[in-house]
Amino acid sequence: MTQKAKSGLLILLPYLAKYRLRVVLIFAFVIIASSIDQAQPYIIKNIIDNHISVPHPDIRGIFRISMGYLGLVLFSFGLTYYQDVLLQFTGQSIVREIRTDLFRHIQNLSLKYFDQNSSGRIITNVVSDTEALNNFFTDFLTNTIRGIFSLVLIVFFMLKLNQTVALYCFLMVPLILGASLIIRRGIQKVNQEMRTRLSAAISFLAENLSGMAIVQIFNQELKQQKEFDQRNKLLLQSTILENRLNLLFFLVTEFLGDAGVAGLVWFGGGAVIRGSISFGVLFAFTVYMRRFFQPINNITQQLNVLQSTIVSSERIRKTFKEHPDIRELPSAVSPSVIGRVAFKNVTFAYRAGQNVLKNINLEIKPGERVGFVGATGAGKTSLMNLLARFYDVNGGVLEIDGQDIKNYSLESIRGSVGIVQQDVTLFSGSVLDNIRFFRKEIPEIHVVEACRLVGADGFIRRLPQGYHTVLSERGSTLSSGERQLLSFARVMVFDPKILILDEATASLDSISEAVLQEAITKVSYGRTLLVIAHRLSTVQQMDYIVVLDHGRIVESGSHEELLRHDGFYQRLHESGILLEGVAV
Amino acid sequence: MSINQNENNLEKKKPSGWHIVSSYVVQNWWVYLAALLLIMVSSKLAVKIPQLIGRFTDQLQHGTLEVQQAAHFAETIMLISFFRVTTVWLGRIIINGHGRILVYQLRKQLLKKWSTLSPSYYQGHSVGDLLSHALSDVEVVRQFASMGISQSINGLSMLTAALYMMAVHMNWHLALAGLGPLIAIPILVGYFGPKIKNQSMHYQSALGSMAQLVEEVIGGIRVVKAFGNEAVTLHRFEEKVEKIVHEKVKFVRLSSLFGSLLPFLSSIGSIVVLSYGGYLTINHTITLGDFAAFFLYLAQLRQPLEQLGQTLNVVQRAAGSLNRISGLLSVVPDVVDDPDAKKEHRVIGNIKVKNLTFRYPGTEKNVLENISFEVEKGKTIGIVGALGSGKSTLTNLLLRLYNPPKGTIFIDGVDILKIPLENLRHGIAYVPQSGFLFSEKILDNIGFSDNSPDLEKAEKAAQSAVVYDNIVEFPDGFNTEIGERGVRLSGGQKQRVAIARMLYKNAPIHILDDSLSAVDTKTERALLHNLRHNSSVKLNSLRRKTTLIISHRLSAVRHADEILVLADGTVSERGTHSHLIHSGGLYSRLWIMQSGTEEEQKVVGVDGNVRYSEPDLSEERNGLPLSLEGEPA
């Protein structure tokens, strides 16, 4: 365990400290319950030595002790139950807080973080890594605490029975521990291999099922089956090996237990004959000897859990150390926005040294409609990213209504700048909730109005439950045109003064596009409109068009002006790239 | 054979899955018998040890034991222990190993069955569901066929052996009294197991629902931020987390109760033996050795009895899983060779579609209505239309992914229902819309139709598909892995690799199902040119292929010998590109939408010159794709 890894677990400390009273209580309960459990052989020894193997056996004494022990067992039963529930509940409370803190933290990070980290990694962080912490409480803590106390108590009772015999018994410990660790390590290795092979087999299967038509069309059923057979066989081999090792582990501990008992019979028997210990003591030792294995077993089993907790908590700690690049100034204001936009000598790079926008100067008056064209990578989307303040400029100033964008609160920027993108993001939930973005305070009537405005009302009403239809698989049952209409409606509900359409119609077929063109015309009234498009029919309606190339503005003007100018725009137009849309 | 018939068949014989396991056991009866004997021997040996300790105790108590004899007792215990451990190990690995082999065979059979089923089956069954059969149902069968069988044999034989020793050799009253509470263990496990499992599933699904939300939010983080919606999202997240805590606590209540009941029951058993056994010992009904041995038996039985309870749960779950698997294995494929299929028929490449009307099984609406066309060998036909106009259905029928009605589709004059599937598909090379590729090397993907793909051939195919330059730029060229582990291809690259795969196959008929949608205009032109001329490389033969190009982009079909415009499943227009452009119908309207504006349409009219056919001609002349600057205004 390296120093660095250890510090990962430290993130748990402040949370644990909050619940320290409960933790102490849980520890106390564990000690009491284990004591009752481990006292049993000792009690039997007392009965044998003091009530049975005596000249005048005392049946009443036996009953008395039995009834007393019954009471203790009942008490311990309740205690164990309560302690377990309490521990799990505490663990869950801590995990809940960590999850919420983590999610809040991640959500507030800037887009740069999401560019640099795959969504899979982030999801793993919030879901699995926190779940590993949960396992730390449910499995590791429970079993280790209980295991350690049991072990301590067994040692204690053994020493109390007879120190010499106890010390001999302890000679078994390194043997058990050694065997345990060696086989466990083997099992762990095989387990890992098995999981890899399982996922190889399953992902092969998954791919072939989704591409079954291709397999059949190419007549390759047999080849693919053969290939699967190889993976399947490898999987079979490692599952068999894994099972053998697991059984081996179980049986080696059984055998060692028997060996311990045999040893006791041999040496202990002699001691009884010599009269140095009583038979009751020997019997109690036999039982303790068998009990010795379980806690050791349980604890070694938990080492894996500990390991994955350390890895997970380290990842969580790293995430907490990330800081958002985009921060609100303490003096940030939230005035109502009119919609004037000015880029003043703006330079921007996602990665230092690679400027994607260079000395951009552009003024857009409130209510103006501007089209942006240029090849992929020309910097169109970056321009919009700056306007939504997803990123900050590296040089120059970006102003809204004559004020540096950094002086606004994030809430006010994002309330006044609306974006519609090519890829529509819908969430699991009803159409209504998707359009008002789960803000219950927005009344349904508002949503319906927005939908009427953009022309989405018709198709929504035709859905089985109208506005309350729950979108299955994030709206994949809707056509791309319908999805895009929903995202238009969503923007309209929030009534932004500045509206950005980033290739909003690019993935639509010609007919859906016509519907959306109409929607765009309707919604642009009274707003500053910035449209990125490949299709000529979309951009040529704009008041003027800005042509970007390699991060610079190379031309601007109306469609006719630009065509006359015989420049870049004209060439784009002629080449057909501007006509049909898809560029590389 | 129609689908309805199949469904009836399934109705009639509800498959019971137990025969999967029972017939397997019967087939390997001698293995299972050997394992059974081994485990029984082991139990018999195991119960010897407490008996020995009992006898040792008695001799010790009576003072008749010598140190020598104590050593002898110890030796015997070790010896017995060694054999009992070895025999039970052998017995269990035999059973467990065979259970795993059964599972291996089931997986194999599942894929074999799935390979015979047509897309109509996959439409009704999601890949995720099928995979979960291969994963979890098969896993349950594994548990049943290995752990379930071996533990129940072990548990029962231990119980019998111990009970026999306790009741016959010692005292049956005490045996019953002491074992009573322990007998409750399997019952408890059987009772709590499903409940706990059920609650655990609730917990898992709460966890899954949180994961889904996180996935959606991370995927849509731009939208969340653009709308400043972080607070609302956080609140939704908190609700999900709260639900998890709620389900977990419910789960813990159950599992903790169960977890503390088990030791409680065995403690009760000990107390019974302690008091009643103590009483019997004092009465001299049993010896002190018996008394001691009883405790050891209780300890010995606890684990097998717990496992017996687990087996009950496994059996319960296995019933469902086995039925599902057996159901899967007995699905009858709906597209199969006709019994009097013309085995020797080889596809040459003449396609004829006659009065084809088709609706998908189980639906009400005709997707295609009264479609007729003919493509002679070597000719190209283009099919255009909006989404849902029935374009892809036509491909599905030509490939017989679905069966067309009798007498509607002919290849080389033979009804395709009479052509063996293998021959039919051998004669057609196809590019799907998605450009579906496998997570293998690029070479294996292009040469998918080949058992050992030929690099040279693949290179030529890649050149024709205008993807060669992209491939050689990858770190390992044609040996680059695609997908999760390797490079990710762009949509356009995927489509072009899929086209190379089609070309590699070198079949007489080519079908491109909207396979150029993600390819840029310039590359599309070059590619179409290569397809038309089979030119830039000579793939095995110069013979021209019969080609079917389906597209919603008109630029892809304009060179076709004939173009069909589909609308709502019927042919609304047909003819060559220039014919259709002038006819003023849907095609010409689409052409204007896709290529420019009304204004330009006017230009065409004024000039009296078909502006759009000009690049056409120049391309034909040069035989080269147009460059950016090269196009005349």
Side-chain angles (χ1 to χ4, degrees):
Chain A
M1 208 186 299
T2 63
Q3 197 58 39
K4 200 176 141 209
K6 257 187 215 156
S7 60
L9 281 179
L10 289 180
I11 60 161
L12 287 174
L13 276 186
Y15 295 97
L16 271 172
K18 219 167 159 183
Y19 292 95
R20 59 180 173 276
L21 256 180
R22 277 202 212 166
V23 174
V24 170
L25 201 63
I26 290 166
F27 271 70
F29 287 172
V30 171
I31 297 175
I32 297 171
S34 315
S35 310
I36 295 175
D37 194 27
Q38 298 306 339
Q40 193 206 45
Y42 195 78
I43 291 171
I44 298 174
K45 171 246 159 195
N46 271 339
I47 288 185
I48 292 178
D49 282 353
N50 302 340
H51 301 282
I52 296 178
S53 294
V54 286
H56 301 290
D58 172 17
I59 188 67
R60 289 172 145 235
I62 295 177
F63 279 137
R64 222 176 25 246
I65 295 177
S66 297
M67 287 309 111
Y69 190 63
L70 181 64
L72 281 180
V73 164
L74 274 169
F75 176 62
S76 145
F77 167 62
L79 207 61
T80 312
Y81 172 71
Y82 183 64
Q83 166 261 314
D84 209 27
V85 172
L86 193 63
L87 173 67
Q88 307 281 357
F89 188 69
T90 310
Q92 273 299 316
S93 307
I94 293 175
V95 170
R96 167 174 55 188
E97 283 181 38
I98 294 180
R99 269 192 181 135
T100 313
D101 288 351
L102 189 64
F103 184 78
R104 184 190 296 121
H105 181 77
I106 289 178
Q107 210 184 203
N108 288 334
L109 290 175
S110 319
L111 274 182
K112 203 170 175 185
Y113 176 78
F114 297 94
D115 295 340
Q116 286 163 355
N117 295 279
S118 75
S119 65
R121 216 195 71 80
I122 301 173
I123 295 163
T124 311
N125 207 215
V126 180
V127 181
S128 324
D129 286 341
T130 50
E131 191 58 16
L133 293 188
N134 181 46
N135 292 342
F136 175 74
F137 289 103
T138 45
D139 296 343
F140 181 79
L141 270 190
T142 327
N143 285 309
T144 339
I145 295 176
R146 205 174 281 161
I148 288 173
F149 279 116
S150 300
L151 220 51
V152 168
L153 286 163
I154 292 172
V155 168
F156 167 78
F157 280 116
M158 278 180 156
L159 286 172
K160 195 158 187 264
L161 286 168
N162 185 295
Q163 292 189 1
T164 328
V165 182
L167 290 175
Y168 274 115
C169 288
F170 297 156
L171 285 179
M172 292 287 289
V173 174
L175 210 59
I176 303 167
L177 216 57
S180 224
L181 286 176
I182 289 171
I183 303 181
R184 280 250 170 259
R185 193 158 298 163
I187 290 176
Q188 206 184 335
K189 229 171 99 187
V190 176
N191 252 331
Q192 229 158 33
E193 192 170 62
M194 188 176 73
R195 273 199 296 270
T196 319
R197 288 178 177 184
L198 179 68
S199 77
I202 293 300
S203 60
F204 182 87
L205 213 50
E207 196 171 88
N208 273 270
L209 282 181
S210 29
M212 187 53 81
I214 296 290
V215 174
Q216 290 174 348
I217 289 165
F218 281 81
N219 272 332
Q220 296 302 314
E221 293 95 328
L222 281 179
K223 177 172 124 191
Q224 297 304 92
Q225 281 173 31
K226 238 186 242 163
E227 192 131 335
F228 178 67
D229 197 43
Q230 281 175 7
R231 288 159 212 246
N232 201 5
K233 250 187 203 134
L234 283 176
L235 175 62
L236 171 68
Q237 283 159 7
S238 59
T239 56
I240 288 184
L241 187 62
E242 181 257 356
N243 181 248
R244 285 188 185 169
L245 276 179
N246 261 322
L247 279 176
L248 183 68
F249 177 74
F250 171 66
L251 293 162
V252 164
T253 49
E254 283 280 298
F255 179 69
L256 284 177
D258 285 345
V261 171
L264 277 172
V265 164
W266 191 355
F267 298 111
V272 175
I273 295 168
R274 281 194 303 278
S276 55
I277 58 169
S278 70
F279 171 72
V281 171
L282 179 60
F283 178 78
F285 264 112
T286 333
V287 179
Y288 280 125
M289 181 55 107
R290 284 212 149 273
R291 285 189 171 206
F292 220 58
F293 291 87
Q294 214 172 6
I296 292 182
N297 239 341
N298 284 347
I299 294 170
T300 51
Q301 241 172 34
Q302 297 311 318
L303 289 180
N304 293 343
V305 179
L306 181 64
Q307 228 158 28
S308 63
T309 310
I310 289 173
V311 173
S312 294
S313 59
E314 176 58 22
R315 276 204 290 254
I316 292 174
R317 193 184 63 96
K318 260 194 191 150
T319 308
F320 272 128
K321 274 171 72 184
E322 297 275 348
H323 290 297
D325 298 323
I326 309 286
R327 259 172 281 183
E328 262 179 28
L329 290 176
S331 58
V333 291
S334 314
S336 65
V337 167
I338 303 165
R340 180 186 303 277
V341 176
F343 289 85
K344 293 188 171 164
N345 214 15
V346 165
T347 302
F348 173 64
Y350 291 102
R351 255 178 254 139
Q354 297 173 17
N355 283 347
V356 289
L357 291 176
K358 298 158 197 160
N359 305 88
I360 298 285
N361 281 296
L362 184 63
E363 290 233 17
I364 303 169
K365 298 187 198 80
E368 227 167 12
R369 303 180 307 160
V370 187
F372 291 82
V373 295
T376 305
K380 295 165 298 187
T381 300
S382 305
L383 219 52
M384 306 307 157
N385 281 342
L386 293 179
L387 190 52
R389 215 183 158 205
F390 287 153
Y391 303 86
D392 275 337
V393 297
N394 294 82
V397 189
L398 170 53
E399 290 179 354
I400 293 181
D401 294 350
Q403 273 254 27
D404 190 338
I405 194 171
K406 287 177 187 166
N407 293 333
Y408 290 88
S409 68
L410 281 176
E411 200 190 339
S412 121
I413 290 288
R414 290 173 185 162
S416 15
V417 180
I419 302 189
V420 181
Q421 287 164 312
Q422 179 178 0
D423 297 321
V424 179
T425 309
L426 294 176
F427 296 85
S428 311
S430 68
V431 171
L432 178 66
D433 277 342
N434 262 290
I435 296 176
R436 66 181 176 195
F437 221 143
F438 299 94
R439 294 195 184 177
K440 305 281 183 215
E441 71 271 16
I442 297 176
E444 191 171 337
I445 184 81
H446 250 81
V447 172
V448 176
E449 265 170 34
C451 290
R452 285 218 184 101
L453 181 68
V454 302
D457 186 61
F459 93 83
I460 295 174
R461 288 199 188 279
R462 281 195 295 277
L463 294 173
Q465 265 102 44
Y467 281 85
H468 295 275
T469 308
V470 173
L471 295 176
S472 57
E473 292 174 38
R474 287 174 237 168
S476 61
T477 44
L478 301 176
S479 75
S480 18
E482 289 166 341
R483 292 161 55 85
Q484 200 54 274
L485 279 177
L486 287 188
S487 86
F488 263 89
R490 178 157 66 195
V491 164
M492 283 309 111
V493 165
F494 290 84
D495 193 23
K497 280 293 163 212
I498 301 168
L499 180 59
I500 299 171
L501 305 180
D502 187 352
E503 309 256 15
T505 59
S507 60
L508 305 182
D509 62 57
S510 311
I511 293 158
S512 318
E513 199 202 346
V515 176
L516 271 159
Q517 282 303 342
E518 219 180 295
I520 293 174
T521 318
K522 277 188 209 157
V523 302
S524 63
Y525 182 74
R527 298 175 214 281
T528 308
L529 186 68
L530 289 79
V531 177
I532 299 178
H534 274 123
R535 285 187 185 149
L536 195 56
S537 47
T538 313
V539 282
Q540 69 154 12
Q541 304 169 2
M542 298 295 124
D543 295 333
Y544 66 95
I545 299 163
V546 174
V547 184
L548 284 166
D549 186 38
H550 291 99
R552 291 179 201 281
I553 296 180
V554 288
E555 282 174 297
S556 64
S558 73
H559 173 66
E560 289 77 15
E561 282 167 19
L562 288 173
L563 271 189
R564 274 198 298 275
H565 183 251
D566 193 21
F568 198 83
Y569 184 79
Q570 207 264 345
R571 280 208 305 282
L572 274 179
H573 183 204
E574 285 305 327
S575 73
I577 288 173
L578 198 54
L579 303 181
E580 285 161 28
V582 193
V584 186
Chain B
M1 202 184 296
S2 85
I3 293 215
N4 290 337
Q5 264 173 0
N6 295 343
E7 274 167 6
N8 287 342
N9 283 346
L10 283 180
E11 283 298 309
K12 261 181 245 156
K13 74 167 203 274
K14 283 245 161 141
S16 155
W18 293 113
H19 72 269
I20 293 179
V21 176
S22 60
S23 66
Y24 181 77
V25 171
V26 170
Q27 261 170 40
N28 298 288
W29 63 271
W30 49 275
V31 178
Y32 281 92
L33 187 67
L36 179 70
L37 288 175
L38 280 168
I39 291 176
M40 279 164 62
V41 168
S42 153
S43 301
K44 185 84 186 73
L45 290 172
V47 295
K48 269 271 178 229
I49 294 175
Q51 196 195 19
L52 275 172
I53 292 176
R55 225 186 287 150
F56 162 78
T57 310
D58 286 339
Q59 293 190 14
L60 205 58
Q61 196 192 18
H62 298 135
T64 55
L65 189 79
E66 313 267 320
V67 179
Q68 205 79 54
Q69 276 171 297
H72 183 66
F73 267 114
E75 260 170 44
T76 320
I77 290 174
M78 290 285 280
L79 210 64
I80 290 181
S81 174
F82 179 77
F83 281 111
R84 80 154 176 116
V85 166
T86 326
T87 44
V88 81
W89 190 65
L90 277 175
R92 290 177 83 161
I93 64 171
I94 287 175
I95 294 178
N96 293 354
H98 270 77
R100 281 161 174 77
I101 293 173
L102 169 66
V103 163
Y104 156 82
Q105 289 177 356
L106 283 180
R107 285 211 179 97
K108 194 170 165 173
Q109 283 169 26
L110 279 176
L111 179 62
K112 199 173 164 195
K113 172 58 79 178
W114 286 335
S115 298
T116 65
L117 301 178
S118 69
S120 71
Y121 182 79
Y122 293 99
Q123 221 126 60
H125 301 79
S126 79
V127 171
D129 281 351
L130 294 175
L131 276 182
S132 94
H133 289 301
L135 259 178
S136 40
D137 280 336
V138 168
E139 171 65 17
V140 173
V141 174
R142 182 186 68 75
Q143 284 177 2
F144 171 70
S146 51
M147 197 185 85
I149 295 181
S150 72
Q151 286 188 352
S152 55
I153 292 180
N154 190 46
L156 287 175
S157 88
M158 275 301 286
L159 191 64
T160 321
L163 203 61
Y164 174 79
M165 293 301 262
M166 292 162 94
V168 176
H169 288 284
M170 297 167 190
N171 183 293
W172 67 270
H173 290 284
L174 185 58
L176 286 186
L179 280 180
L182 267 72
I183 295 294
I185 288 178
I187 298 167
L188 267 181
V189 177
Y191 174 78
F192 274 104
K195 280 188 189 252
I196 291 175
K197 167 110 185 127
N198 201 8
Q199 186 55 40
S200 147
M201 265 155 57
H202 287 310
Y203 171 67
Q204 288 299 334
S205 84
L207 207 59
S209 143
M210 177 191 73
Q212 195 195 355
L213 178 72
V214 175
E215 194 183 332
E216 285 182 14
V217 171
I218 303 301
I221 189 74
R222 271 168 192 276
V223 182
V224 172
K225 284 190 177 284
F227 283 82
N229 221 34
E230 288 93 337
V232 179
T233 315
L234 181 66
H235 178 69
R236 293 183 67 210
F237 180 78
E238 280 172 330
E239 278 175 6
K240 303 279 184 196
V241 175
E242 195 55 53
K243 173 88 174 150
I244 294 176
V245 175
H246 175 75
E247 294 294 349
K248 182 71 176 188
V249 168
K250 265 167 93 179
F251 171 79
V252 166
R253 291 232 164 90
L254 273 174
S255 69
S256 300
L257 180 62
F258 175 67
S260 38
L261 263 173
L262 286 185
F264 175 69
L265 281 173
S266 78
S267 290
I268 296 288
S270 306
I271 289 170
V272 170
V273 173
L274 196 62
S275 47
Y276 184 45
Y279 166 74
L280 291 176
T281 316
I282 293 172
N283 274 353
H284 299 292
T285 318
I286 58 172
T287 64
L288 183 63
D290 293 341
F291 180 68
F294 260 106
F295 282 108
L296 297 177
Y297 281 127
L298 290 190
Q300 217 172 30
L301 281 177
R302 184 172 151 183
Q303 199 174 26
L305 286 174
E306 272 177 35
Q307 290 175 347
L308 213 53
Q310 285 166 7
T311 312
L312 286 178
N313 300 337
V314 172
V315 171
Q316 261 174 10
R317 274 190 289 151
S321 292
L322 281 167
N323 285 346
R324 277 193 293 274
I325 290 176
S326 150
L328 283 175
L329 289 176
S330 56
V331 174
V332 184
D334 54 351
V335 178
V336 288
D337 281 348
D338 196 275
D340 44 271
K342 299 186 162 63
K343 292 253 170 354
E344 64 294 332
H345 181 85
R346 294 277 174 272
V347 173
I348 299 168
N350 296 298
I351 303 172
K352 184 177 169 195
V353 174
K354 205 174 89 187
N355 303 331
L356 169 64
T357 298
F358 179 77
R359 74 173 65 161
Y360 283 102
T363 61
E364 311 250 305
K365 193 172 158 265
N366 285 343
V367 193
L368 293 175
E369 242 177 271
N370 209 19
I371 305 279
S372 298
F373 64 86
E374 249 180 277
V375 198
E376 272 172 51
K377 179 173 147 336
K379 297 282 183 198
T380 298
I381 188 162
I383 297 175
V384 294
L387 287 171
S389 59
K391 291 171 301 183
S392 295
T393 304
L394 209 51
T395 351
N396 289 342
L397 294 177
L398 275 170
L399 287 160
R400 258 188 89 192
L401 295 174
Y402 293 84
N403 275 337
K406 233 179 228 162
T408 52
I409 301 183
F410 301 87
I411 289 183
D412 308 326
V414 181
D415 189 332
I416 64 165
L417 293 172
K418 299 278 183 208
I419 303 177
L421 281 174
E422 202 188 323
N423 298 6
L424 176 73
R425 289 173 184 167
H426 195 76
I428 303 178
Y430 164 78
V431 188
Q433 200 168 356
S434 61
F436 185 93
L437 299 177
F438 293 90
S439 311
E440 290 170 3
K441 289 175 187 161
I442 292 179
L443 175 62
D444 292 335
N445 267 294
I446 294 180
F448 187 64
S449 49
D450 212 336
N451 279 331
S452 42
D454 179 61
L455 180 62
E456 206 180 323
K457 220 173 136 189
E459 281 175 344
K460 281 183 184 166
Q463 273 161 359
S464 278
V466 202
V467 69
Y468 180 83
D469 292 341
N470 299 87
I471 296 174
V472 290
E473 270 173 29
F474 291 135
D476 299 315
F478 277 77
N479 285 320
T480 308
E481 291 264 346
I482 297 178
E484 294 275 322
R485 284 166 297 158
V487 297
R488 284 186 187 282
L489 302 185
S490 73
Q493 288 170 344
K494 264 191 214 163
Q495 288 187 335
R496 280 176 285 150
V497 171
I499 289 172
R501 175 172 67 188
M502 170 192 82
L503 292 171
Y504 185 102
K505 190 175 174 186
N506 194 31
I509 299 176
H510 281 172
I511 298 179
L512 290 93
D513 186 356
D514 220 344
S515 324
L516 295 160
S517 56
V519 176
D520 68 280
T521 326
K522 209 172 119 189
T523 316
E524 182 188 75
R525 284 183 196 169
L527 214 162
L528 286 171
H529 176 85
N530 290 345
L531 284 185
R532 266 200 313 286
H533 299 284
N534 267 353
S535 60
S536 66
V537 293
K538 293 187 177 80
L539 277 169
N540 295 348
S541 71
L542 258 171
R543 214 178 44 197
R544 290 184 70 163
K545 312 290 185 192
T546 307
T547 310
L548 213 109
I549 301 179
I550 290 174
S551 178
H552 73 262
R553 232 160 62 183
L554 305 189
S555 52
V557 296
R558 64 179 172 192
H559 301 289
D561 298 303
E562 189 181 18
I563 299 168
L564 300 188
V565 182
L566 285 189
D568 286 332
T570 59
V571 177
S572 67
E573 289 164 53
R574 65 199 305 165
T576 60
H577 177 75
S578 56
H579 168 77
L580 290 171
I581 283 286
H582 284 113
S583 70
L586 180 64
Y587 187 89
S588 66
R589 285 204 303 280
L590 280 173
W591 180 251
I592 290 161
M593 277 173 106
Q594 287 187 12
S595 60
T597 61
E598 294 282 343
E599 207 181 328
E600 281 164 289
Q601 168 70 8
K602 276 184 214 144
V603 174
V604 178
V606 172
D607 286 359
N609 187 358
V610 185
R611 180 192 166 99
Y612 301 107
S613 63
E614 256 186 47
D616 233 3
L617 292 172
S618 71
E619 199 180 340
E620 289 291 337
R621 270 199 313 269
N622 302 334
L624 278 169
L626 291 160
S627 65
L628 228 148
E629 288 81 15
E631 187 174 343

